[in-house]
Amino acid sequence: MKKVIVLFILLLSANSLHAQMLKFGVKAGANFANLEGDNVEGSIYTSFHFGAVAEISLLENLSLQPELLYSSQGTKVDEAGIKDINYNYITVPVLAKFYLTSKKLSLEAGPQFSFLVNENVEEQFEGESFDFAAAAGLGYNITENFFVQARYVMGLTEANKDAEVTNRVIQFSVGYTF
């Protein structure tokens, strides 16, 4: 975790790169999450995510997009008397961004590293402290600074210590780059 934060700070302080090669920004949006696996009878849990984004241009149509986000995920429990499951993560997606059209429409894919910071069901459904996932989606630059994204995040490791379940999240985001 410390290495990821140091890397992100270094990226933020890299003044020597040309503005076309490096962009920074912020983004926020809605999460539609669920836990998939054994013994979970839940439905879509609606929550949010927000944070910082960077885009490092590697080639004309290829960029690297690391992000540092706070993301609220979980599942809505349909049984009376049982709380909805809510896991809050610091997520670090590191995505390859392939532009399908000239700096407008992009396909994004890569790994996501998530670190559990808070949960509402410690004893009932205790979460794992780390979650590894694959993320893929589309992005569209509305203007040079404003963008929208849609992404699917599929957990590859178990999200819970007591059950074999993984995170599934659909994200819709809006953002602004400087």
Side-chain angles (χ1 to χ4, degrees), residues 13 31 126 140 167:
S13 63
N31 283 349
E126 187 176 358
Y140 186 77
N167 282 304

Side-chain angles (χ1 to χ4, degrees), residues 114-128:
S114 301
F115 305 91
L116 185 66
V117 293
N118 188 6
E119 61 187 341
N120 71 338
V121 287
E122 293 88 14
E123 294 173 18
Q124 176 187 3
F125 209 67
E126 187 176 358
E128 291 285 353

Side-chain angles (χ1 to χ4, degrees), residues 99-117:
Y99 280 98
L100 303 173
T101 61
S102 182
K103 297 294 182 186
K104 286 287 188 187
L105 180 65
S106 61
L107 177 64
E108 304 162 356
Q112 176 172 291
F113 310 93
S114 301
F115 305 91
L116 185 66
V117 293

Side-chain angles (χ1 to χ4, degrees), residues 93 95 108-113 131-137 151-157 167-169:
L95 308 175
E108 304 162 356
Q112 176 172 291
F113 310 93
D131 185 52
F132 179 70
R151 184 177 298 165
Y152 180 69
V153 180
M154 179 177 68
L156 300 175
T157 58
N167 282 304
R168 299 288 190 259
V169 185

Side-chain angles (χ1 to χ4, degrees), residues 5-163:
I5 293 171
V6 169
L7 176 64
F8 199 78
I9 290 170
L10 287 174
L11 288 174
L12 290 174
S13 63
N15 293 332
S16 63
L17 293 177
H18 189 269
Q20 294 283 7
M21 295 185 68
L22 180 64
K23 286 183 166 184
F24 297 103
V26 293
K27 67 181 267 187
N31 283 349
F32 301 95
N34 202 349
L35 291 173
E36 185 175 285
D38 296 342
N39 302 324
V40 176
E41 300 283 333
S43 57
I44 299 297
Y45 181 76
T46 304
S47 55
F48 61 92
H49 64 274
F50 63 89
V53 60
E55 183 176 344
I56 305 158
S57 182
L58 303 174
L59 300 170
E60 184 177 340
N61 289 332
L62 175 66
S63 296
L64 183 65
Q65 181 172 298
E67 300 175 0
L68 183 63
L69 305 173
Y70 181 88
S71 183
S72 180
Q73 301 169 189
T75 194
K76 187 164 189 59
V77 178
D78 297 329
E79 295 181 33
I82 299 177
K83 290 196 277 185
D84 291 343
I85 297 168
N86 177 254
Y87 298 138
N88 296 305
Y89 294 97
I90 296 295
T91 64
V92 183
V94 181
L95 308 175
K97 188 172 188 174
F98 304 97
Y99 280 98
L100 303 173
T101 61
S102 182
K103 297 294 182 186
K104 286 287 188 187
L105 180 65
S106 61
L107 177 64
E108 304 162 356
Q112 176 172 291
F113 310 93
S114 301
F115 305 91
L116 185 66
V117 293
N118 188 6
E119 61 187 341
N120 71 338
V121 287
E122 293 88 14
E123 294 173 18
Q124 176 187 3
F125 209 67
E126 187 176 358
E128 291 285 353
S129 60
F130 177 76
D131 185 52
F132 179 70
L138 292 172
Y140 186 77
N141 292 331
I142 298 169
T143 67
E144 189 173 314
N145 300 100
F146 287 101
F147 65 89
V148 293
Q149 293 175 325
R151 184 177 298 165
Y152 180 69
V153 180
M154 179 177 68
L156 300 175
T157 58
E158 292 179 11
N160 184 271
K161 291 182 180 183
D162 300 320

